[in-house]
Amino acid sequence: MNHIALKMLMGDRGKYLGIIMGLTFASLIMTQQPAIFVGLMSRSFSFISDLGLPDIWVMDPKVQFIDDVKPLQDTKLYRVRGVAGVKWAMPLYKGLLKARMADGTFQTCNVIGLDDATLIGGPPVMLEGKLEDLRRSDGVIVDIDGAIDKLAKPSKIKGGKPEPLKIGDTLELNDKRAIVVGIAKTTKTFQSQPVIYTTYSRAVRFAPRERKMLSFVLVKAMPGENIPLLTRRITESTGLAAYTQQEFKDLTWGYFMKNTGIPINFGISVTLGFIVGAAIAGQTFYNFTLENLRQFGVLKAMGTSNWTLLRMILLQAILVGLIGYGLGVGLTALFGYAMRNTIMAFKFPWQLLVFSGFGVTLICVFAALISIRKVIKLEPAIVFKG
Amino acid sequence: MNGQSTAAVRCKSVVKTYDTGGDKVVALGGIDLEIHMGELMMLVGPSGCGKTTLISVIAGILDQDSGSCEVFGEDMLHMRSNQKLKFRARNIGFVFQAYNLLPSLNAVENVSVPLIINGVKRQTAEYRAAKVLEQVGLGARGKSLPSQLSGGQQQRVAIARALVHDPKLIVCDEPTSALDHETGHTVMELLKDVALHDDRALVIVTHDSRIFGFADRIARMDDGHIDKVVDSSDKL
Ligand SMILES: Nc1ncnc2c1ncn2[C@@H]1O[C@H](COP(=O)(O)OP(=O)(O)O)[C@@H](O)[C@H]1O
Ligand SMILES: [Mg+2]
């Protein structure tokens, strides 16, 4: 009976395409929107991912996420270094400073200060220059997006395009001279400001004088050390918060989930996609069954069991579900591919396939159920009605 | 055909009422009827007299309220629903006024449906269906969809479908009323010549007096009762 079910379904071109379009739409929205959402949300902690070397991040216990800097006294660094099981602990400065541009305007920058000796915590990719060039006096490394956009120099020709910041150019950070010694590539974060890397001591010199300057302490554990245990030891002996890299990412992600409208907005899009898709596909599928009720009645009169009819309808639902799901997921992948070089956030982990697959399944089960109910209650005697 | 022939259908005091929101319509008010093997029985009478209801009960797609209706000695009323489906699938062929072919299946596929329902493999079923289509004169139209066939051709496909699984009883509701006189005649000839034989009975509901001549016996119905059963040679 399977081939009969499929022929019945595909025989009605208009409805068949309508059902598939509804499901494709639902599956597209339920995959693409979450992909953008995941892409966007993972930006919240991309600074932590970029800075992959340390096992543990140590900070003020009140810190809620990566950009929420609550400075520590410099002496805390030595306290952390004193904890058993710590291989090394390095200071990290992270703060917003004003850069004065060549034309006299100001641009706020995200300044990162790295341990002077080891330069641990540098950018993931150097496009021009070397990280070691930071050792030159007044040296800074600028991220490429900032260099070509917000920190770009006005064109020498009137009305021309701004020129990207290059190695050798100078900036003023808080009235102090800085020389560009490298251009780096960093992963996008929620912060739209340009990122400037320099040494810890230089960053502290750039920044306005304050009693506490140390933003984070980055810790590497001794080989074989139990990292969760070490975080507890650090907290106990210093009174500071210590998180594994993953814990700090989760903390940051959780903060953005709770305190921004992002999850709600995407939740609404996904729900709407689900409802609209379910309505279109469910309605068309149900209409399709209603229109074919007489055919089901004929099969019933000729001795087809409800169980077989149920299987036929399920098969029809599974087929349109698979096609709609495949098209939706495929379109999402195409979308992601087309957007790969833009600032559009997009991440497509396999869990999204499960998520939208589940959504499409739900729609198909719903559509099949209302149709099956109708067919099971159908009296075969209708076949003799004119 | 001998006089002692077994009954294909034996109805005794069959009553069927429809409940239409408070109003009770008595569609069958105690029907007694016997149909023999090898016989073409026509049920005739004015519209609304209960003909369709009666063949629905005979075919086992409608349960009577009381009385018994045995088909080949068994009353489908007392069967479990699965048994009933199997019994129907094996023993009964249907021809409808509105043809009721599946529009997205071609002629061969339509004819093969009863075999498929009986569990015959698709390939075998379609092979046998093509043979039966030849018998009804449509051997060349096997690949045509119902929409590509005339009314008469569609009814011939429907007859092939009613024959293909070799059922012992074929029920037809107004098989000619959607057709012009000549086509109706061809269809009746087909039913009489190809469908009817000693090991099968045909019940045909009609109010088309021009085809009464094809019947072996005619049961006249009025208002849920059978007035009289006559041989077709007797004048009505
Ligand atoms: N499903 C139904 N519900 C209510 N009344 C019905 C139903 N089917 C038939 N009837 C009534 O039962 C009577 C017999 O109908 P039917 O068997 O269709 O007659 P015929 O086929 O001779 O025209 C009619 O009065 C008709 O209105
Ligand atoms: Mg009728």
Side-chain angles (χ1 to χ4, degrees):
Chain A
M1 299 302 278
N2 291 350
H3 70 286
I4 296 177
L6 296 182
K7 289 214 159 154
M8 272 173 85
L9 176 67
M10 291 186 253
D12 191 345
R13 272 300 127 106
K15 290 231 164 49
Y16 179 54
L17 292 180
I19 298 167
I20 285 180
M21 264 164 56
L23 288 171
T24 303
F25 174 80
S27 139
L28 173 65
I29 300 289
M30 283 189 291
T31 322
Q32 183 242 26
Q33 289 291 312
I36 296 176
F37 171 73
V38 173
L40 209 52
M41 288 305 286
S42 64
R43 282 184 184 175
S44 66
F45 56 70
S46 54
F47 182 73
I48 308 173
S49 312
D50 272 5
L51 216 155
L53 195 55
D55 299 318
I56 295 171
W57 289 64
V58 183
M59 65 204 77
D60 186 284
K62 292 211 177 64
V63 168
Q64 301 183 73
F65 60 104
I66 179 66
D67 301 308
D68 178 33
V69 174
K70 302 214 159 56
L72 310 167
Q73 282 171 326
D74 279 356
T75 52
K76 293 287 186 189
L77 175 63
Y78 305 106
R79 298 278 304 276
V80 175
R81 281 181 176 159
V83 177
V86 170
K87 187 175 175 206
W88 49 251
M90 298 300 165
L92 187 79
Y93 173 86
K94 185 173 186 302
L96 295 175
L97 298 181
K98 279 209 181 93
R100 207 172 108 102
M101 324 262 283
D103 63 356
T105 58
F106 287 95
Q107 167 65 52
T108 306
C109 296
N110 195 3
V111 175
I112 313 295
L114 314 175
D115 176 60
D116 291 46
T118 59
L119 297 178
I120 279 171
V125 181
M126 287 300 295
L127 297 175
E128 284 173 55
K130 298 189 303 290
L131 185 60
E132 289 71 41
D133 295 340
L134 279 186
R135 300 220 164 87
R136 296 211 218 131
S137 67
D138 298 336
V140 294
I141 292 171
V142 179
D143 86 291
I144 181 76
D145 294 323
I148 58 177
D149 181 29
K150 294 208 165 81
L151 291 178
K153 299 167 294 183
S155 171
K156 289 195 187 81
I157 326 147
K158 240 180 133 62
K161 268 204 290 192
E163 284 177 35
L165 206 59
K166 289 194 314 285
I167 289 183
D169 287 337
T170 58
L171 290 168
E172 269 181 27
L173 283 165
N174 253 348
D175 299 330
K176 282 148 200 134
R177 204 173 103 96
I179 301 173
V180 178
V181 296
I183 304 290
K185 174 121 193 83
T186 60
T187 310
K188 274 226 157 337
T189 68
F190 274 163
Q191 247 64 36
S192 58
Q193 298 93 350
V195 185
I196 293 181
Y197 287 90
T198 186
T199 60
Y200 184 79
S201 58
R202 212 171 290 141
V204 167
R205 189 159 56 77
F206 289 145
R209 271 244 90 36
E210 275 182 60
R211 202 164 52 84
K212 301 173 179 177
M213 299 300 280
L214 178 62
S215 309
F216 298 100
V217 178
L218 308 178
V219 173
K220 185 79 185 169
M222 292 287 200
E225 193 67 43
N226 180 321
I227 292 175
L229 271 181
L230 181 56
T231 61
R232 231 170 297 156
R233 252 192 338 266
I234 293 173
T235 301
E236 275 161 19
S237 59
T238 63
L240 299 175
Y243 302 112
T244 65
Q245 212 184 102
Q246 190 56 48
E247 282 170 350
F248 194 29
K249 284 183 191 174
D250 292 346
L251 186 76
T252 298
W253 166 286
Y255 176 84
F256 280 93
M257 288 291 277
K258 251 186 262 139
N259 295 288
T260 65
I262 300 172
I264 297 175
N265 282 323
F266 280 91
I268 290 173
S269 304
V270 170
T271 310
L272 276 181
F274 176 80
I275 291 173
V276 172
I280 299 176
Q283 173 78 26
T284 326
F285 193 88
Y286 183 59
N287 271 349
F288 163 78
T289 307
L290 283 190
E291 263 180 31
N292 289 325
L293 221 47
R294 182 175 267 278
Q295 299 186 46
F296 286 117
V298 171
L299 293 176
K300 229 175 179 177
M302 294 196 300
T304 310
S305 65
N306 277 335
W307 171 240
T308 303
L309 295 175
L310 180 146
R311 273 187 4 234
M312 290 172 71
I313 293 175
L314 269 185
L315 178 70
Q316 293 171 336
I318 288 170
L319 178 78
V320 291
L322 279 178
I323 296 177
Y325 174 66
L327 285 176
V329 165
L331 286 175
T332 302
L334 267 183
F335 171 86
Y337 182 74
M339 294 290 157
R340 70 195 180 286
N341 290 327
T342 68
I343 61 158
M344 181 93 212
F346 186 88
K347 252 205 174 93
F348 199 163
W350 63 267
Q351 286 91 339
L352 281 190
L353 289 177
V354 178
F355 175 79
S356 55
F358 180 74
V360 171
T361 306
L362 219 60
I363 295 177
C364 290
V365 165
F366 159 76
L369 277 185
I370 54 172
S371 299
I372 285 167
R373 212 179 71 99
K374 196 83 194 168
V375 169
I376 284 184
K377 283 170 66 183
L378 176 72
E379 284 293 336
I382 66 143
V383 291
F384 282 137
K385 294 281 170 306
Chain B
M1 191 176 97
N2 62 47
Q4 309 300 315
S5 66
T6 43
V9 179
R10 187 177 283 134
C11 293
K12 283 207 187 94
S13 319
V14 171
V15 174
K16 176 72 193 176
T17 53
Y18 291 109
D19 214 344
T20 50
D23 282 345
K24 276 200 160 57
V25 179
V26 181
L28 301 178
I31 296 281
D32 295 306
L33 180 68
E34 249 183 57
I35 303 167
H36 308 295
M37 277 306 210
E39 156 174 79
L40 194 162
M41 167 71 88
M42 270 190 197
L43 287 175
V44 306
S47 185
C49 70
K51 307 182 294 292
T52 297
T53 305
L54 180 55
I55 59 161
S56 299
V57 170
I58 290 172
I61 57 177
L62 198 64
D63 289 339
Q64 69 269 31
D65 298 338
S66 65
S68 72
C69 185
E70 291 179 358
V71 178
F72 311 117
E74 299 198 58
D75 194 334
M76 282 187 257
L77 186 67
H78 306 305
M79 291 183 185
R80 280 180 293 111
S81 68
N82 255 357
Q83 259 183 306
K84 200 186 208 171
L85 287 169
K86 281 219 177 75
F87 187 86
R88 224 156 56 205
R90 207 159 287 152
N91 297 306
I92 298 177
F94 291 88
V95 177
F96 310 96
Q97 173 180 0
Y99 322 134
N100 284 344
L101 300 172
L102 306 197
S104 40
L105 301 190
N106 67 29
V108 165
E109 290 162 343
N110 260 297
V111 174
S112 72
V113 168
L115 292 174
I116 305 246
I117 291 174
N118 276 299
V120 177
K121 283 221 174 60
R122 184 178 171 187
Q123 227 184 345
T124 318
E126 290 185 1
Y127 175 78
R128 279 164 62 185
K131 292 260 166 220
V132 181
L133 265 183
E134 269 170 38
Q135 285 179 32
V136 301
L138 287 175
R141 302 305 301 269
K143 291 265 181 286
S144 304
L145 291 175
S147 58
Q148 297 162 330
L149 299 171
S150 69
Q153 288 171 325
Q154 288 187 58
Q155 196 61 303
R156 269 146 66 190
V157 174
I159 290 170
R161 179 176 67 179
L163 289 174
V164 73
H165 52 309
D166 204 16
K168 290 195 289 195
L169 175 68
I170 296 180
V171 296
C172 314
D173 193 26
E174 314 267 10
T176 60
S177 66
L179 306 173
D180 63 56
H181 177 59
E182 204 175 319
T183 317
H185 220 80
T186 321
V187 161
M188 282 312 298
E189 272 168 357
L190 206 56
L191 282 171
K192 183 106 186 170
D193 299 342
V194 180
L196 190 62
H197 57 67
D198 283 354
D199 208 18
R200 181 181 290 153
L202 259 67
V203 195
I204 297 179
V205 162
T206 187
H207 59 251
D208 182 357
S209 58
R210 293 168 307 191
I211 63 167
F212 287 178
F214 287 97
D216 294 319
R217 287 195 300 153
I218 297 175
R220 279 201 146 281
M221 281 186 78
D222 198 13
D223 200 18
H225 293 275
I226 291 182
D227 284 351
K228 53 180 171 182
V229 182
V230 296
D231 284 354
S232 71
S233 47
D234 303 343
K235 283 289 155 264
L236 285 160

